[in-house]
Amino acid sequence: MPAIIRHAADHRERIAIHDEGLSYTYGDLLGASHDLASALLADQEDLGGTCVAFMVDPGFGYVSVQWGIWRAGGIAVPLCLTHPLPSLTYVLEDTRADVIVISPRFESILGEYARNNDLRLIVLGQERMVDAADLPEVGAERDAMILYTSGTTSKPKGVVLTHENLETQITALSEAWGWSAMDHIVNVLPLHHIHGIVNVVSCSLWNGATLTFLRQFSADRLFDIFLEGRVNVFMAVPTIYFKLIAHWKLLPAERQMEIHDALSAFRLMVCGSAALPVSVMEDWHRISGHRLLERYGMTEIGMALSNPLAGERRAGSVGLPLPGVSVRLVDESGGEVADGEPGEIQVKGRNVFRCYLHRPEATEEAFAPGGWFRTGDMAVLEDGYYRIMGRTSVDIIKSGGYKISALEIEEVLREHPSIEDCAVIGLPDEEWGELVAAAVVSHADIDFSALTAWLRDRIPAYRVPRRYLRVEQLPRNAMGKVMKPEVRPLFDA
Ligand code: MLC
Ligand code: AMP
């Protein structure tokens, strides 16, 4: 049995989850995940590493399904709740999942697809009750979860994580950030990415803590939850802190003070998934009395570097390696750089993913000799703390904490009948970190709002360009390759 589920049996009576006004104990979670595992197994003894995709609202149902898949010996594939159908079917086809579990409201999106493709569809609350099955032994070496990440290829890749990977990531954070059963965290993050799944949901449940779900991010509702005085840990991406600060500034002085007092009582506030601007760190300090703990991670490795819980939390820095994680900085020839010199971050440890699904070449390319994972992020080591300098690829954009491939958006844009050529880049932006921007070559007039609507049917909303520019031609080098650093200034004109 996966260790997180074994641990739950140690605190059956404790409240695990608050969701939509209801409270659930660890015992409830064990019961619901057992039922779901039994339904998934039907007459099988073990799902034997079958992929089970699920599109379930954040909350008790989500965790029951995730644990149920694990308990039945399956691989959990969480789907993004806001993706358009082509992005969902890409994941379903790539993982070859033949079972999908959904919240009822997603039947209108996936029901027909499941029927047409002979996939088994389990709608939560409507599943056929089966006799409780004997659940299989699931060792830590088995695959647990596949998360999709955009990268330097035009199509997202499935990152295969084993139970051992997840357990290593969770135990490192539990130790470094002092998690305990007395903690209470609120989740506002999407649950198809590592930040929400591991750092928030799994760490809290591993430790017997309490987890409140807010289904959709809203600054006002989040402040209401903070003011209830029960939550004492919070984690989010920089854009969310930016939005909370902007909202707080508009509030009456009395409510501002109440929020300040409530936040001052927190044990811990963490920020990551994208660079935390120093201005956001300072504003949040004034509002909450907390110095945000910034850390650095990635889907393939979980968290690698973190500012300390006790000790200096340095602005603009991501701290030191977490327990059990080896980190080195290397130059282009693969040699380690001297302190103070920039190099690519490479990571090794039991936290590092097993492979990219069905992509042996991409997996091989991702590792340097000696089994070091190449992150593609550049950093420098200064006085014992790592500082992120940027990325080796211009084709990766981080917006609102989401990793976005410029190549993927370009490929879709090129399918539009009026677009002859295009280049997608990230423009620096205080709120979003980077804004997706597209320079397009077209000999016809383009209606950019119609283009946005056209794109929204094909790619997730957060990948749709926020700025467009029509150009005569794109700057290209002698080899014909677009010179992206020269595209950016075109938007300033
Ligand atoms: C949404 N909008 C954007 C945008 N995303 N505008 C510009 N750039 C973007 N990236 C617009 C929408 O179109 C909409 O406008 C308006 O903002 C509100 O949209 P929304 O979807 O309701 O946004 P909101 O709920 O406010 O979402 C913002 C957010 C969300 C910050 C809560 O982006 C989010 O949850 N980000 C977290 C992603 C995450 O978990 N990353 C971790 C990856 S793991 P309109 O005009 O259409 O109304 C990882 C490893 C690690 O990175 O280290 O953790
Ligand atoms: P993802 O692939 O979505 O998991 O995103 C991982 C990427 O997010 C990393 O490769 C970094 O580029 C970026 N990232 C995560 N945390 C930080 C941070 N604290 N500062 C800067 N970049 C970060």
Side-chain angles (χ1 to χ4, degrees):
M1 188 190 293
I4 192 166
I5 294 154
R6 235 178 19 245
H7 288 187
D10 296 339
H11 20 251
R12 278 178 184 274
E13 307 306 323
R14 289 185 71 85
I15 298 292
I17 289 175
H18 292 292
D19 173 22
E20 300 280 287
L22 297 175
S23 303
Y24 302 88
T25 63
Y26 280 90
D28 293 333
L29 261 183
L30 288 172
S33 58
H34 195 292
D35 289 348
L36 202 278
S38 305
L40 285 170
L41 284 168
D43 47 13
Q44 283 174 271
E45 284 179 7
D46 188 331
L47 290 185
T50 303
C51 287
V52 180
F54 63 114
M55 191 167 181
V56 175
D57 286 310
F60 178 71
Y62 178 100
V63 181
S64 307
V65 173
Q66 184 194 47
W67 286 19
I69 296 168
W70 288 342
R71 297 181 81 179
I75 305 174
V77 183
L79 298 172
C80 174
L81 307 187
T82 56
H83 275 189
L85 190 59
S87 306
L88 297 170
T89 57
Y90 172 76
V91 172
L92 293 171
E93 282 161 21
D94 198 55
T95 55
R96 300 167 198 160
D98 51 18
V99 188
I100 316 175
V101 186
I102 56 169
S103 302
R105 73 183 178 105
F106 299 120
E107 198 165 1
S108 57
I109 301 174
L110 283 177
E112 192 183 330
Y113 178 85
R115 279 187 292 280
N116 291 344
N117 290 278
D118 270 338
L119 304 181
R120 186 172 162 214
L121 187 71
I122 299 180
V123 182
L124 276 190
Q126 300 169 20
E127 62 267 41
R128 202 164 45 88
M129 277 302 149
V130 291
D131 291 341
D134 283 336
L135 302 183
E137 258 317 303
V138 179
E141 74 294 345
R142 283 175 58 168
D143 295 340
M145 185 160 73
I146 299 176
L147 301 180
Y148 275 77
T149 186
S150 296
T152 47
T153 47
S154 59
K155 293 282 181 227
K157 298 191 287 277
V159 175
V160 181
L161 295 151
T162 64
H163 286 284
E164 182 187 34
N165 294 149
L166 296 178
E167 289 169 21
T168 308
Q169 295 173 10
I170 296 166
T171 47
L173 293 184
S174 299
E175 182 186 333
W177 296 348
W179 273 100
S180 84
M182 303 311 291
D183 285 326
H184 187 153
I185 193 166
V186 56
N187 180 71
V188 293
L189 293 167
L191 292 182
H192 62 294
H193 280 308
I194 203 112
H195 192 164
I197 299 172
V198 170
N199 299 19
V200 179
V201 173
S202 301
C203 279
S204 58
L205 298 177
W206 178 280
N207 287 285
T210 304
L211 168 61
T212 289
F213 282 98
L214 179 58
R215 293 204 170 175
Q216 169 98 42
F217 170 72
S218 142
D220 209 39
R221 291 195 54 205
L222 197 51
F223 282 142
D224 282 342
I225 292 175
F226 291 161
L227 284 169
E228 288 168 8
R230 294 187 295 182
V231 169
N232 70 339
V233 180
F234 184 63
M235 299 182 191
V237 300
T239 302
I240 289 182
Y241 285 105
F242 183 97
K243 285 172 178 285
L244 289 174
I245 292 164
H247 188 76
W248 185 89
K249 286 182 176 164
L250 300 175
L251 296 173
E254 199 182 326
R255 185 159 161 99
Q256 286 183 339
M257 273 318 291
E258 284 168 7
I259 290 169
H260 174 85
D261 292 345
L263 292 176
S264 305
F266 273 47
R267 182 179 76 76
L268 174 64
M269 295 188 149
V270 179
C271 185
S273 299
L276 170 63
V278 174
S279 60
V280 172
M281 185 163 181
E282 287 171 351
D283 278 355
W284 191 254
H285 189 214
R286 267 191 295 279
I287 288 173
S288 69
H290 278 267
R291 253 185 111 65
L292 286 172
L293 185 157
E294 186 176 4
R295 65 15 170 223
Y296 159 87
M298 196 174 181
T299 305
E300 288 88 333
I301 60 174
M303 300 303 111
L305 297 162
S306 170
N307 275 282
L309 181 65
E312 186 196 356
R313 296 184 191 172
R314 203 177 290 170
S317 146
V318 290
L320 310 98
L322 282 158
V325 182
S326 302
V327 174
R328 67 176 195 180
L329 298 182
V330 301
D331 59 23
E332 278 170 8
S333 59
E336 282 193 51
V337 301
D339 284 6
E341 296 292 323
E344 184 194 18
I345 305 176
Q346 298 193 348
V347 175
K348 204 161 128 171
R350 292 191 301 130
N351 55 307
V352 177
F353 76 127
R354 188 169 72 72
C355 66
Y356 291 117
L357 186 69
H358 310 315
R359 287 175 176 80
E361 280 169 23
T363 306
E364 204 183 318
E365 272 170 32
F367 288 89
W372 291 90
F373 173 68
R374 307 174 205 262
T375 63
D377 290 307
M378 300 294 293
V380 62
L381 184 60
E382 290 169 344
D383 303 327
Y385 279 51
Y386 288 84
R387 187 160 60 83
I388 309 286
M389 312 277 290
R391 283 182 288 269
T392 53
S393 167
V394 286
D395 290 320
I396 291 175
I397 299 166
K398 263 264 157 164
S399 188
Y402 284 111
K403 191 175 188 186
I404 296 169
S405 162
L407 302 178
E408 183 186 354
I409 303 167
E410 287 165 6
E411 195 171 281
V412 178
L413 278 172
R414 285 199 191 95
E415 285 168 18
H416 191 275
S418 307
I419 292 176
E420 280 143 45
D421 200 359
C422 62
V424 169
I425 57 163
L427 293 177
D429 184 81
E430 236 192 318
E431 179 170 7
W432 297 98
E434 287 178 292
L435 272 189
V436 179
V440 299
V441 178
S442 167
H443 292 300
D445 266 346
I446 301 193
D447 173 348
F448 286 123
S449 18
L451 178 60
T452 291
W454 183 85
L455 280 169
R456 276 181 179 238
D457 288 338
R458 289 164 175 80
I459 56 173
Y462 57 82
R463 296 186 196 156
V464 173
R466 303 290 150 171
R467 286 192 59 191
Y468 294 99
L469 184 70
R470 197 169 146 204
V471 292
E472 285 299 313
Q473 57 181 19
L474 294 168
R476 290 185 181 274
N477 65 15
M479 313 284 287
K481 195 170 157 27
V482 174
M483 294 183 290
K484 293 219 168 161
E486 294 192 17
V487 175
R488 181 183 285 185
L490 302 178
F491 283 86
D492 297 335

